[in-house]
Amino acid sequence: MRECDEFFRQPELAHLPRRRRLTALWQLRTHGSYRQTPEEILIGAQLAWRNHDRCVGRSHWRSLDLIDARSAGCAADLAAACFEHLRRAFDGRAVRSLITVGPPADPGGHPYRIINAQLIRYAGYPAPDGTVIGDPDNVALTDLARRLGWRGAHTAFDVLPLLISAPGEPLRWFPLPPDVVREVPLEHPEHPWFAGLGLKWHAIPAVSNMDLEIGGITYPVAPFNGWYVSTEIGARNLSGHDRYDMLPVIAERLGLDRTSERTLWRDRALVELNIAVLHSYRKAGVYIVDHHTVAKQFVGHIQREAAAGRGCPADWSWINPPMSAGLTPTFHRYYDPPDPTTRPNFVRRN
């Protein structure tokens, strides 16, 4: 009840008549739920983005747009809504901040749910020697998809199907249509051999494994996207030892001395990989932001929030980039501590 009352008292909803808040409170108290309008969901999702303590890109929270998919009645309907989300999120000209909101949990408490952490994920296949072909982060998801009947090509960048759980249905999988998966092949502006590594990444980071909580209502299907920070791809996904682990290969091709960590070969390879990411996305016409720029944007966001009389809770370890953090303005400062009770918000599942 408190979350509902506080939500309708937000300044962004001040234009609504008082009776709307009272009606929502009565319905929530009497029936355990109420139906929010598309406007209320959109504003709630924007506020959830603004409130989310792990996002460094939330200065653009007002730009978020909505696909209302609450009328979806089965897993196939939700899959179609997710595919439409990916089409709208990148139309060949610009990356658009977007959220798709599906039905809340049914009266029996059985939720619709997307199993994938993001709408687009690459498969991971364990090899007999202990290595992984593809993305080690998705080995369990790949195994689940295969047990359901999906078969990949065993390449390093097989796009996994979308796995969706819906009330009254067995867990189902849906292959992503080719037109919704825009990928960027990576090349380097100074090293022609880089393209031969066969690296690529997708254009849209659509997070799909978090609950959206607005005004006392929980939406367990709420995939949303902004755009990539280059270091998410170059300094985590492709370089992490527990991910694609490309730094030794790149260092070798660069002719770097890897006999000691003191040569900083990892750092030098990491910079070149991130240069390739920024160059390739720019060349492909897919918007991406570098870690220096997004850090400056976030500091500006904090200042605007302070001017509006609001704090800005932030998880320091997520706000700072995984490379050259000490060179960014987000590094040498403290933040309001994360508050897990803040709503509206995107809530991580156990």
Side-chain angles (χ1 to χ4, degrees):
M1 298 297 297
R2 178 183 61 82
E3 291 178 11
C4 180
D5 185 60
E6 290 178 353
F7 173 59
F8 282 99
R9 293 181 185 276
Q10 293 284 337
E12 289 78 9
L13 294 176
H15 60 285
L16 296 181
R18 178 173 176 268
R19 65 178 178 274
R20 171 55 182 155
R21 177 175 60 85
L22 297 178
T23 299
L25 285 167
W26 179 84
Q27 290 176 338
L28 186 61
R29 182 184 302 110
T30 304
H31 304 291
S33 184
Y34 65 99
R35 184 171 176 84
Q36 295 172 335
T37 67
E39 179 193 32
E40 290 162 2
I41 294 177
L42 174 58
I43 291 175
Q46 291 173 341
L47 297 179
W49 189 7
R50 188 186 76 189
N51 291 337
H52 193 56
D53 53 52
R54 287 188 171 184
C55 182
V56 72
R58 50 186 145 145
S59 62
H60 302 281
W61 63 276
R62 293 184 186 274
S63 70
L64 187 66
D65 206 353
L66 170 70
I67 295 177
D68 186 351
R70 288 177 294 167
S71 62
C74 61
D77 290 344
L78 282 177
C82 291
F83 300 155
E84 181 62 20
H85 178 122
L86 291 171
R87 291 186 184 99
R88 292 196 201 179
F90 183 70
D91 59 7
R93 297 183 300 273
V95 175
R96 178 183 180 187
S97 301
L98 193 61
I99 184 167
T100 294
V101 175
D106 69 11
H110 305 293
Y112 293 83
R113 183 156 291 169
I114 297 172
I115 307 303
N116 310 55
Q118 292 190 22
L119 296 185
I120 302 175
R121 293 277 80 182
Y122 293 120
Y125 307 100
D129 62 359
T131 61
V132 173
I133 299 170
D135 192 343
D137 203 41
N138 298 317
V139 167
L141 183 63
T142 303
D143 180 63
L144 177 57
R146 295 173 75 182
R147 285 189 277 118
L148 292 172
W150 176 77
R151 293 294 178 265
H154 277 73
T155 75
F157 295 97
D158 287 354
V159 176
L160 282 164
L162 200 59
L163 275 61
I164 298 179
S165 171
E169 297 183 53
L171 181 62
R172 297 186 60 189
W173 62 273
F174 301 86
L176 274 69
D179 71 297
V180 308
V181 184
R182 174 65 185 272
E183 295 175 295
V184 178
L186 300 188
E187 59 182 60
H188 195 283
E190 298 175 4
H191 302 299
W193 53 261
F194 197 99
L197 297 176
L199 301 178
K200 60 182 176 179
W201 206 257
H202 52 89
I204 304 298
V207 177
S208 53
N209 65 343
M210 302 181 76
D211 293 343
L212 172 62
E213 296 190 0
I214 302 172
I217 304 297
T218 297
Y219 298 99
V221 173
F224 63 96
N225 73 275
W227 41 79
Y228 270 117
V229 180
S230 57
T231 50
E232 293 180 82
I233 302 169
R236 288 169 53 191
N237 299 344
L238 292 177
S239 63
H241 183 66
D242 57 348
R243 299 294 297 282
Y244 278 82
D245 197 22
M246 290 303 301
L247 296 186
V249 175
I250 293 172
E252 182 178 2
R253 296 300 298 269
L254 289 168
L256 302 179
D257 178 3
R258 294 194 292 139
T259 59
S260 170
E261 297 293 349
R262 293 173 62 89
T263 67
L264 302 184
W265 63 268
R266 296 183 196 276
D267 308 72
R268 296 168 68 185
L270 183 65
V271 169
E272 297 304 324
L273 174 53
N274 279 270
I275 289 173
V277 170
L278 285 166
H279 166 78
S280 302
Y281 272 67
R282 186 179 301 112
K283 182 177 179 179
V286 179
Y287 183 74
I288 194 169
V289 65
D290 65 88
H291 52 295
H292 297 285
T293 298
V294 77
K296 292 176 183 177
Q297 291 172 346
F298 185 69
V299 170
H301 170 70
I302 292 174
Q303 294 169 347
R304 289 189 295 274
E305 289 296 284
R310 294 188 293 264
C312 188
D315 186 328
W316 190 94
S317 65
W318 280 72
I319 294 303
N320 284 287
M323 66 176 286
S324 306
L327 302 179
T328 64
T330 53
F331 186 81
H332 297 286
R333 61 180 301 156
Y334 296 101
Y335 301 95
D336 296 327
D339 181 358
T341 68
T342 300
R343 297 293 184 274
N345 217 326
F346 293 100
V347 180
R348 296 179 287 276
R349 300 176 191 150
N350 294 329

